[in-house]
Amino acid sequence: MELHDIWFVIIATLWVGYFFLEGFDFGIGVLSGTLARDRAERRVLINTIGPVWDGNEVWLLSAGGATFAAFPDWYATLFSGFYLPLLLILVALIVRGVAFEYRVKRSSESWQRNWERAIFWCSLVVAFLWGVAFANIVRGVPIDADHEMTGGLTDLLGPYALLGGLATLLLFTFHGAVFAALKTTGDIRLRARRAAGGLGLATAVVAGAYLLWTQGDSGNVRSLAAVAVAVAALAAALAANAAGREGWAFVFSGLLVVATVVTLFLALFPDVMPSSTDPAWSLTVENAASAPYTLKIMTWCAALATPVVVLYQGWTYWVFRKRVGTQHIAP
């Protein structure tokens, strides 16, 4: 396996880690505006991710930085062609992060309610737009011989892309509901479990249609195996959730997210951005990669730094592993 292939796998792994962690993070944000019945319950849901949400963003920064260094042509084409959607994602992530911190800066009820609404809407928008973005990356966009995207915003909003956005929104919200059932106590825990059952069925329909479309359009034997894992993981997550085995339900909902993202990257490889104008103009792991010496230095740096980051983040989750309930919320 060549270094550029290895770095494609590394970048895919970073995105898998990001969507696994931020998936339930976004899901909790959406549920804070739909599942919670009052401000105390919204605070409970937000507190389940309060200590870890910013650490989850490290995976996004790492994925973006690795793409810039390992595949500069991919980075340039992606960020220039997807400028508006990625800008909306960035703004929503910034407002969402500010909302987590600023909502407690004043005791005014309207102040806190408005910031909590910002958490809900920004989580929903980002969860949807990531699906739209990755659907376009996998299926392909208009790219010319100079590796520049020639299409506009309307080219990014086709039926497949919109289905991908809806699929990630439901998938992350389902993942978040399972996480909420795992991390809360009392009535909200039971309602989160019931919500996870309904969301899981909706996810099965929408995400199933999206993965089948992906498989039929650009899939292969390896991506088909990942689709089979996703189907099995969703069934196992629903069964564990119905049985009240919340820990196992979260394991399987996480596996569902992982298998879904892996399916997309397996369907994409060896391209990194297919050209819908002419397949010969597609960006691939070979023609978009940095020099071998650059990739070699990056590999050593990643080998040294990654274990430290993973261990530290794992320790953070262990420290904040206990459940949260309304009885823990101060007046």
Side-chain angles (χ1 to χ4, degrees), residues 194-206:
R194 288 195 296 269
L199 287 165
L201 295 176
T203 301
V205 174
V206 177

Side-chain angles (χ1 to χ4, degrees), residues 63-269:
T67 303
F68 172 77
F71 298 100
D73 284 357
W74 183 12
Y75 183 93
T77 303
L78 176 64
F79 278 79
S80 60
F82 288 43
Y83 181 82
L84 183 57
L86 292 178
L87 177 63
L88 290 175
I89 290 174
L90 178 61
V91 170
L93 287 174
I94 292 173
V95 173
R96 184 172 178 267
V98 170
F100 280 124
E101 302 299 330
Y102 271 46
R103 67 189 178 89
V104 295
K105 297 301 183 182
R106 290 174 56 181
S107 58
S108 167
E109 182 176 349
S110 60
W111 170 274
Q112 297 186 7
R113 184 173 59 251
N114 287 335
W115 284 117
E116 288 166 357
R117 286 173 178 167
I119 292 173
F120 165 74
W121 284 109
C122 290
S123 298
L124 187 150
V125 167
V126 174
F128 178 79
L129 287 180
W130 275 132
V132 172
F134 268 84
N136 281 290
I137 291 173
V138 172
R139 198 173 196 204
V141 291
I143 297 176
D144 62 18
D146 296 323
H147 292 166
E148 295 181 1
M149 183 174 163
T150 57
L153 179 62
T154 56
D155 294 299
L156 303 179
L157 298 177
Y160 176 76
L162 296 176
L163 180 63
L166 185 58
T168 53
L169 175 58
L170 287 171
L171 176 62
F172 293 162
T173 308
F174 168 63
H175 193 32
V178 173
F179 181 76
L182 177 66
K183 287 289 293 179
T184 58
T185 62
D187 183 58
I188 192 171
R189 173 187 177 187
L190 299 177
R191 283 188 282 113
R193 192 188 301 167
R194 288 195 296 269
L199 287 165
L201 295 176
T203 301
V205 174
V206 177
Y210 174 61
L211 290 179
L212 289 176
W213 192 343
T214 302
Q215 181 63 29
D217 193 43
S218 54
N220 49 58
V221 175
R222 294 169 297 184
S223 62
L224 180 60
V227 171
V229 172
V231 172
L234 177 56
L238 287 171
N241 179 72
R245 302 295 299 273
E246 292 149 350
W248 281 110
F250 179 71
V251 169
F252 288 121
S253 70
L255 179 59
L256 169 62
V257 174
V258 170
T260 300
V261 181
V262 168
T263 298
L264 299 180
F265 276 97
L266 288 176
L268 179 62
F269 185 82

Side-chain angles (χ1 to χ4, degrees), residues 43 62 93 155 232 296 299 320:
R43 291 172 65 187
S62 299
L93 287 174
D155 294 299
K296 186 176 181 179
T299 303
F320 296 102

